[in-house]
Amino acid sequence: MPNTHANSAVPRPTEAELDILRVLWDRGACTVREVHEQLHADGGAGYTTVLKLMQIMHAKNLVSRDDAQRAHVYRAAVTRQRTQKRFLAEMVTRLFNGSPSQLVLHALGEAPRASKAELRQIRELLDRIDRRGKPQ
């Protein structure tokens, strides 16, 4: 029986699949050749390796494919935000005993330090969260 939980409906991408997704998120629709050139311009994995990975990703519903033309065009079928949320939720559960605050405290207490702009964004987020929790 298929599992319909939001996080498990689409398999978790591997590191190599995440590299491909990053290209598709940043550049939009691409052919296999374009993804290969972006990832391995200096050599690295061969074209057929990238092709096979993208075919697997299509079967896993991580990417969609337009095969109307000879060169198939791929698009990310999962958003960057959804993928980040999924990995973050797994990390909070597995490494921080389900405590988001422990994750934040650990992340902010370790190098590299957050920039002043990042700290300002964090303060603004905390202020918004604090305002939501107060009675009107």
Side-chain angles (χ1 to χ4, degrees):
M1 175 175 253
N3 186 344
T4 57
H5 186 271
N7 281 342
S8 58
V10 174
R12 183 181 190 267
T14 65
E15 287 301 316
E17 292 168 343
L18 276 174
D19 290 340
I20 291 170
L21 285 170
R22 284 185 197 103
V23 172
L24 296 174
W25 289 328
D26 292 343
R27 296 185 57 164
C30 291
T31 64
V32 174
R33 183 155 313 284
E34 291 168 329
V35 171
H36 177 260
E37 288 171 357
Q38 181 72 29
L39 290 176
H40 306 292
D42 58 349
Y47 173 86
T48 55
T49 301
V50 175
L51 171 62
K52 186 62 177 170
L53 269 172
M54 292 180 78
Q55 290 170 336
I56 291 167
M57 292 172 71
H58 181 257
K60 292 166 75 173
N61 294 318
L62 293 170
V63 298
S64 62
R65 179 177 65 206
D66 178 359
D67 52 8
Q69 299 182 30
R70 188 174 187 280
H72 297 175
V73 176
Y74 290 82
R75 289 177 175 74
V78 292
T79 65
R80 184 186 310 249
Q81 183 179 18
R82 177 179 175 192
T83 304
Q84 288 172 336
K85 282 183 178 183
R86 178 180 187 164
F87 275 83
L88 185 61
E90 289 176 11
M91 187 181 339
V92 167
T93 300
R94 293 176 68 196
L95 298 175
F96 296 95
N97 296 322
S99 173
S101 61
Q102 288 301 309
L103 169 83
V104 171
L105 290 170
H106 185 79
L108 291 177
E110 298 296 321
R113 304 300 279 183
S115 70
K116 288 185 183 209
E118 290 170 325
L119 290 173
R120 185 177 63 251
Q121 288 177 318
I122 292 166
R123 282 188 192 97
E124 289 170 0
L125 174 62
L126 292 173
D127 288 345
R128 282 196 307 272
I129 291 169
D130 191 38
R131 284 192 298 272
R132 279 190 296 202
K134 291 184 180 178
Q136 299 293 327

